Amino acid sequence: MKTKSIILTTIFMVLGILNTKAQIVSPAQSGGYVPGINGVRDYANPGQDGLFIFDYNIFVNANSYYDRNGNKVNTIEGPLGNTIPLDIDISGYINSLMLVYASPNLPFLGNAQYLFIAAPNYTTAKATVGLGELLNGKTVEGGASGFGDLTVSPLMLSWTLDKFDFTGGYLFYAPTGRYETGADDNIGLGYWSHVIQMASYYYPKPDKSTAFMFMPSYEFHGNIKDADVRPGSRFIMEYGISQYLSEKLEVTLQGGHAWQMGEDSGSDVYWDPSVKDQMSVFGLGISYWFLPNLYTNAKYTGSYGLKQNFKTNMFQLQIILIPNLFKKKESGS
């Protein structure tokens, strides 16, 4: 999910106003994977094979920045070491269409199901920036829109037991979105990101109406296009509770934390690489099955515990459609 691209676009716009955008990389490098976007049961064992369609509609707003010490500030450091006053309002919309194919049970893998995931997305972003005395108290506006980076999971396996599900594997973000180092209309991040994760579920009741989810992920990156910068690796921890109040009505609580582990590296890093960013999120949602194959989830997610990050508020509408395609034919049918 490209929430981070919206933030980067805004930083590039600020640098462009100061006529320093040529070959400048944004200091807001915080990876491609955002905790709290996926639903609590999105990684649960599907229980059937075939095609699943997930449509994520995410509305993002951010208007405050937290520095290396976790304090809310109204300035950022420029590439020349200068201090830039910053009064900002960021808004954006992301639509991510995730296509998931689930295989039949594979006996040679302990009856695991193989999952293949591909998720293109379209992003629009708008930012209003006030630079105080630099612009005599005036504000400027900018934005961008287009198809973002492509998310693909070529290897994901899922097992189910009486009280547990386990789903884990590898996914990557391919830099297919528009990106030019220093431009103020980027949609993509400009580098490859790789994520290894394992989701675990515990169901205390036989009907699985209650689910506890726990999912660690590790993310590492390649170099940014046309710049000598490699963003540092990150460790992400997500958890959540899902409770069905009836056969159709579900409520969820979930949270997550992301910590930068490795330092940003490369000769074009002008910020202090020893300072590592972090963020935490908390969300709550309500879901309903309108049809046996049509699920909707409305969710709010807010961020907190920030270092070198913008505070974000996200409102999300998720739709899951099970079209009953590419299912294994039953013997004799």
Side-chain angles (χ1 to χ4, degrees):
M1 303 300 172
K2 295 308 164 194
T3 306
K4 304 297 175 61
S5 297
I6 295 175
I7 304 302
L8 295 180
T9 294
T10 302
I11 301 298
F12 285 132
M13 188 176 75
V14 173
L15 298 175
I17 293 169
L18 299 176
N19 295 318
T20 60
K21 70 177 183 179
Q23 295 306 307
I24 294 297
V25 177
S26 168
Q29 298 298 333
S30 49
Y33 187 82
V34 181
I37 298 294
N38 291 315
V40 172
R41 297 198 191 219
D42 284 4
Y43 278 72
N45 183 270
Q48 64 182 76
D49 62 296
L51 179 67
F52 298 79
I53 301 174
F54 295 68
D55 185 45
Y56 297 86
N57 298 270
I58 306 165
F59 300 86
V60 184
N61 177 260
N63 55 23
S64 56
Y65 182 74
Y66 288 76
D67 67 7
R68 58 189 293 173
N69 299 312
N71 298 319
K72 182 179 178 180
V73 297
N74 55 10
T75 63
I76 60 172
E77 181 181 349
L80 303 179
N82 53 323
T83 298
I84 303 173
L86 186 62
D87 180 15
I88 196 164
D89 184 43
I90 307 166
S91 60
Y93 166 71
I94 303 167
N95 180 269
S96 180
L97 186 66
M98 185 167 73
L99 306 176
V100 180
Y101 168 73
S103 76
N105 291 342
L106 304 173
F108 66 94
L109 289 175
N111 283 325
Q113 287 186 265
Y114 166 74
L115 308 178
F116 176 83
I117 301 171
N121 71 86
Y122 188 87
T123 298
T124 62
K126 178 181 179 181
T128 302
V129 182
L131 294 176
E133 295 179 356
L134 293 178
L135 286 178
N136 297 318
K138 295 181 180 180
T139 61
V140 294
E141 292 186 354
S145 62
F147 286 97
D149 295 343
L150 176 67
T151 305
V152 176
S153 176
L155 179 59
M156 194 75 72
L157 296 173
S158 183
W159 292 265
T160 186
L161 304 172
D162 288 342
K163 290 192 172 185
F164 297 92
D165 283 351
F166 300 98
T167 302
Y170 161 74
L171 63 88
F172 62 83
Y173 296 94
T176 55
R178 182 177 67 249
Y179 178 86
E180 180 182 351
T181 294
D184 58 8
D185 61 349
N186 291 321
I187 292 298
L189 292 175
Y191 55 85
W192 290 82
S193 287
H194 308 272
V195 182
I196 299 171
Q197 55 192 183
M198 171 61 76
S200 301
Y201 290 87
Y202 170 63
Y203 305 101
K205 299 180 180 180
D207 62 1
K208 297 188 176 182
S209 59
T210 304
F212 294 90
M213 180 270 286
F214 177 77
M215 184 169 72
S217 303
Y218 179 74
E219 180 182 26
F220 58 98
H221 316 286
N223 280 358
I224 296 178
K225 178 184 176 183
D226 298 329
D228 186 17
V229 175
R230 181 188 292 268
S233 60
R234 278 163 177 80
F235 179 72
I236 300 105
M237 183 64 68
E238 296 177 87
Y239 46 87
I241 303 173
S242 162
Q243 178 64 57
Y244 272 91
L245 304 179
S246 70
E247 290 186 355
K248 296 183 176 182
L249 180 63
E250 176 195 25
V251 293
T252 60
L253 295 174
Q254 64 187 110
H257 309 281
W259 298 276
Q260 182 178 352
M261 306 298 290
E263 294 186 354
D264 299 334
S265 59
S267 61
D268 290 330
V269 175
Y270 59 85
W271 54 92
D272 183 356
S274 68
V275 178
K276 298 176 182 178
D277 60 67
Q278 67 181 51
M279 69 176 298
S280 298
V281 297
F282 179 78
L284 59 152
I286 185 168
S287 312
Y288 194 80
W289 286 91
F290 285 95
L291 296 171
N293 63 341
L294 180 62
Y295 169 95
T296 61
N297 170 260
K299 182 171 64 176
Y300 164 77
T301 304
S303 63
Y304 68 98
L306 305 168
K307 288 186 179 180
Q308 287 197 152
N309 260 303
F310 282 83
K311 179 174 175 56
T312 58
N313 294 290
M314 292 185 288
F315 298 90
Q316 178 177 317
L317 177 64
Q318 178 194 37
I319 301 170
I320 301 178
L321 176 65
I322 307 173
N324 294 318
L325 296 175
F326 307 113
K327 292 174 66 68
K328 180 182 178 180
K329 292 184 178 180
E330 299 294 338
S331 60
S333 60

